Short mmCIF file of all heavy atoms in Angstrom, two decimals:
data_model
loop_
_atom_site.label_atom_id
_atom_site.label_comp_id
_atom_site.label_asym_id
_atom_site.label_seq_id
_atom_site.Cartn_x
_atom_site.Cartn_y
_atom_site.Cartn_z
N GLY A 328 -25.69 118.49 126.41
CA GLY A 328 -26.05 117.58 127.49
C GLY A 328 -26.05 118.29 128.85
O GLY A 328 -26.90 118.01 129.71
N PHE A 329 -25.10 119.21 129.03
CA PHE A 329 -25.09 119.99 130.26
C PHE A 329 -26.32 120.90 130.36
O PHE A 329 -26.84 121.14 131.45
CB PHE A 329 -23.81 120.83 130.36
CG PHE A 329 -22.62 120.06 130.87
CD1 PHE A 329 -21.56 119.77 130.03
CD2 PHE A 329 -22.58 119.64 132.17
CE1 PHE A 329 -20.47 119.06 130.50
CE2 PHE A 329 -21.49 118.94 132.66
CZ PHE A 329 -20.43 118.64 131.81
N LEU A 330 -26.79 121.41 129.23
CA LEU A 330 -28.01 122.21 129.24
C LEU A 330 -29.20 121.38 129.69
O LEU A 330 -30.06 121.86 130.45
CB LEU A 330 -28.27 122.80 127.85
CG LEU A 330 -27.27 123.84 127.34
CD1 LEU A 330 -27.70 124.35 125.97
CD2 LEU A 330 -27.14 125.00 128.31
N ASP A 331 -29.26 120.14 129.23
CA ASP A 331 -30.35 119.25 129.68
C ASP A 331 -30.28 119.05 131.19
O ASP A 331 -31.31 119.07 131.88
CB ASP A 331 -30.25 117.90 128.96
CG ASP A 331 -30.54 117.99 127.47
OD1 ASP A 331 -31.19 118.97 127.06
OD2 ASP A 331 -30.10 117.09 126.73
N ASP A 332 -29.07 118.87 131.70
CA ASP A 332 -28.91 118.68 133.15
C ASP A 332 -29.30 119.95 133.90
O ASP A 332 -29.91 119.89 134.97
CB ASP A 332 -27.47 118.31 133.47
CG ASP A 332 -27.25 118.10 134.95
OD1 ASP A 332 -27.71 117.07 135.48
OD2 ASP A 332 -26.63 118.98 135.60
N ALA A 333 -28.94 121.11 133.32
CA ALA A 333 -29.27 122.38 133.97
C ALA A 333 -30.79 122.56 134.09
O ALA A 333 -31.29 123.04 135.12
CB ALA A 333 -28.67 123.54 133.19
N ARG A 334 -31.52 122.17 133.07
CA ARG A 334 -32.99 122.29 133.11
C ARG A 334 -33.58 121.39 134.19
O ARG A 334 -34.56 121.74 134.86
CB ARG A 334 -33.59 121.93 131.75
CG ARG A 334 -33.25 122.91 130.64
CD ARG A 334 -33.99 122.58 129.36
NE ARG A 334 -33.44 123.36 128.25
CZ ARG A 334 -32.54 122.92 127.40
NH1 ARG A 334 -32.09 121.67 127.51
NH2 ARG A 334 -32.08 123.69 126.43
N ALA A 335 -32.97 120.22 134.35
CA ALA A 335 -33.49 119.25 135.32
C ALA A 335 -33.08 119.59 136.75
O ALA A 335 -33.85 119.36 137.69
CB ALA A 335 -33.01 117.85 134.96
N ALA A 336 -31.87 120.15 136.91
CA ALA A 336 -31.32 120.34 138.25
C ALA A 336 -31.48 121.75 138.79
O ALA A 336 -31.31 121.97 140.00
CB ALA A 336 -29.83 119.97 138.24
N GLY A 337 -31.81 122.70 137.95
CA GLY A 337 -31.90 124.09 138.39
C GLY A 337 -32.85 124.89 137.54
O GLY A 337 -33.71 124.35 136.84
N THR A 338 -32.66 126.21 137.56
CA THR A 338 -33.49 127.13 136.79
C THR A 338 -32.60 127.94 135.86
O THR A 338 -31.69 128.65 136.31
CB THR A 338 -34.24 128.10 137.73
OG1 THR A 338 -34.99 127.35 138.68
CG2 THR A 338 -35.17 129.00 136.94
N ILE A 339 -32.85 127.84 134.57
CA ILE A 339 -32.09 128.62 133.59
C ILE A 339 -32.72 130.01 133.51
O ILE A 339 -33.91 130.14 133.20
CB ILE A 339 -32.09 127.93 132.22
CG1 ILE A 339 -31.30 126.61 132.30
CG2 ILE A 339 -31.47 128.85 131.16
CD1 ILE A 339 -31.32 125.79 131.02
N ILE A 340 -31.92 131.04 133.78
CA ILE A 340 -32.45 132.41 133.78
C ILE A 340 -31.92 133.24 132.62
O ILE A 340 -32.32 134.38 132.44
CB ILE A 340 -32.17 133.12 135.12
CG1 ILE A 340 -30.68 133.12 135.45
CG2 ILE A 340 -32.97 132.47 136.24
CD1 ILE A 340 -30.32 133.94 136.68
N ALA A 341 -31.02 132.66 131.84
CA ALA A 341 -30.55 133.31 130.60
C ALA A 341 -29.97 132.24 129.71
O ALA A 341 -29.35 131.29 130.20
CB ALA A 341 -29.51 134.39 130.90
N GLY A 342 -30.18 132.37 128.41
CA GLY A 342 -29.62 131.40 127.48
C GLY A 342 -30.32 130.07 127.54
O GLY A 342 -31.55 129.99 127.54
N GLY A 343 -29.52 129.03 127.59
CA GLY A 343 -30.08 127.68 127.66
C GLY A 343 -30.51 127.11 126.34
O GLY A 343 -31.23 126.12 126.28
N GLU A 344 -30.05 127.73 125.26
CA GLU A 344 -30.52 127.29 123.94
C GLU A 344 -29.42 127.41 122.90
O GLU A 344 -28.48 128.19 123.03
CB GLU A 344 -31.72 128.16 123.52
CG GLU A 344 -31.38 129.63 123.47
CD GLU A 344 -32.59 130.54 123.45
OE1 GLU A 344 -33.70 130.06 123.78
OE2 GLU A 344 -32.42 131.73 123.12
N THR A 345 -29.55 126.59 121.87
CA THR A 345 -28.67 126.72 120.72
C THR A 345 -29.21 127.84 119.83
O THR A 345 -30.31 128.35 120.04
CB THR A 345 -28.62 125.40 119.93
OG1 THR A 345 -29.94 125.08 119.48
CG2 THR A 345 -28.09 124.27 120.81
N VAL A 346 -28.40 128.22 118.85
CA VAL A 346 -28.80 129.28 117.92
C VAL A 346 -29.23 128.63 116.62
O VAL A 346 -28.54 127.75 116.09
CB VAL A 346 -27.64 130.27 117.69
CG1 VAL A 346 -28.06 131.36 116.72
CG2 VAL A 346 -27.20 130.87 119.02
N ASP A 347 -30.37 129.03 116.10
CA ASP A 347 -30.96 128.41 114.92
C ASP A 347 -30.24 128.88 113.65
O ASP A 347 -30.71 129.77 112.94
CB ASP A 347 -32.45 128.72 114.83
CG ASP A 347 -33.13 127.95 113.69
OD1 ASP A 347 -32.53 126.96 113.23
OD2 ASP A 347 -34.23 128.36 113.29
N ARG A 348 -29.09 128.30 113.42
CA ARG A 348 -28.28 128.62 112.25
C ARG A 348 -27.20 127.55 112.14
O ARG A 348 -26.95 126.81 113.10
CB ARG A 348 -27.63 130.00 112.40
CG ARG A 348 -26.75 130.12 113.64
CD ARG A 348 -26.07 131.47 113.74
NE ARG A 348 -24.98 131.61 112.79
CZ ARG A 348 -24.23 132.71 112.69
NH1 ARG A 348 -24.46 133.76 113.48
NH2 ARG A 348 -23.27 132.78 111.81
N PRO A 349 -26.53 127.42 111.00
CA PRO A 349 -25.40 126.50 110.94
C PRO A 349 -24.32 126.92 111.93
O PRO A 349 -24.18 128.10 112.28
CB PRO A 349 -24.91 126.64 109.49
CG PRO A 349 -26.09 127.17 108.74
CD PRO A 349 -26.82 128.05 109.70
N GLY A 350 -23.56 125.97 112.40
CA GLY A 350 -22.50 126.26 113.35
C GLY A 350 -22.84 125.75 114.74
O GLY A 350 -24.00 125.48 115.05
N TYR A 351 -21.82 125.67 115.58
CA TYR A 351 -21.97 125.07 116.91
C TYR A 351 -22.19 126.16 117.96
O TYR A 351 -21.44 126.28 118.93
CB TYR A 351 -20.74 124.24 117.23
CG TYR A 351 -20.38 123.24 116.16
CD1 TYR A 351 -19.09 123.15 115.64
CD2 TYR A 351 -21.35 122.37 115.65
CE1 TYR A 351 -18.77 122.24 114.65
CE2 TYR A 351 -21.04 121.44 114.66
CZ TYR A 351 -19.74 121.39 114.17
OH TYR A 351 -19.43 120.48 113.18
N PHE A 352 -23.25 126.93 117.78
CA PHE A 352 -23.50 128.09 118.63
C PHE A 352 -24.44 127.74 119.78
O PHE A 352 -25.49 127.12 119.59
CB PHE A 352 -24.13 129.22 117.82
CG PHE A 352 -23.22 129.81 116.77
CD1 PHE A 352 -23.27 129.37 115.46
CD2 PHE A 352 -22.33 130.82 117.10
CE1 PHE A 352 -22.44 129.92 114.49
CE2 PHE A 352 -21.49 131.37 116.14
CZ PHE A 352 -21.55 130.92 114.83
N ILE A 353 -24.05 128.17 120.99
CA ILE A 353 -24.90 128.07 122.17
C ILE A 353 -24.87 129.41 122.88
O ILE A 353 -23.80 129.98 123.10
CB ILE A 353 -24.41 126.96 123.12
CG1 ILE A 353 -24.62 125.58 122.47
CG2 ILE A 353 -25.12 127.03 124.47
CD1 ILE A 353 -24.10 124.42 123.30
N ARG A 354 -26.04 129.92 123.21
CA ARG A 354 -26.09 131.21 123.90
C ARG A 354 -25.53 131.08 125.31
O ARG A 354 -25.68 130.04 125.95
CB ARG A 354 -27.53 131.73 123.97
CG ARG A 354 -28.04 132.23 122.62
CD ARG A 354 -28.93 133.45 122.77
NE ARG A 354 -28.42 134.48 123.65
CZ ARG A 354 -27.70 135.53 123.25
NH1 ARG A 354 -27.38 135.68 121.98
NH2 ARG A 354 -27.32 136.45 124.13
N PRO A 355 -24.85 132.13 125.81
CA PRO A 355 -24.33 132.08 127.18
C PRO A 355 -25.47 131.85 128.16
O PRO A 355 -26.52 132.49 128.06
CB PRO A 355 -23.68 133.45 127.36
CG PRO A 355 -24.26 134.33 126.31
CD PRO A 355 -24.59 133.43 125.16
N THR A 356 -25.25 130.94 129.07
CA THR A 356 -26.32 130.41 129.91
C THR A 356 -25.98 130.60 131.38
O THR A 356 -24.88 130.26 131.82
CB THR A 356 -26.53 128.92 129.60
OG1 THR A 356 -26.91 128.79 128.21
CG2 THR A 356 -27.61 128.32 130.48
#
Side-chain angles (χ1 to χ4, degrees):
F329 278 111
L330 293 182
D331 292 340
D332 181 72
R334 293 186 192 97
T338 305
I339 293 176
I340 56 174
E344 58 197 17
T345 60
V346 180
D347 186 18
R348 58 178 287 180
Y351 309 129
F352 293 96
I353 292 177
R354 287 217 47 93
T356 299

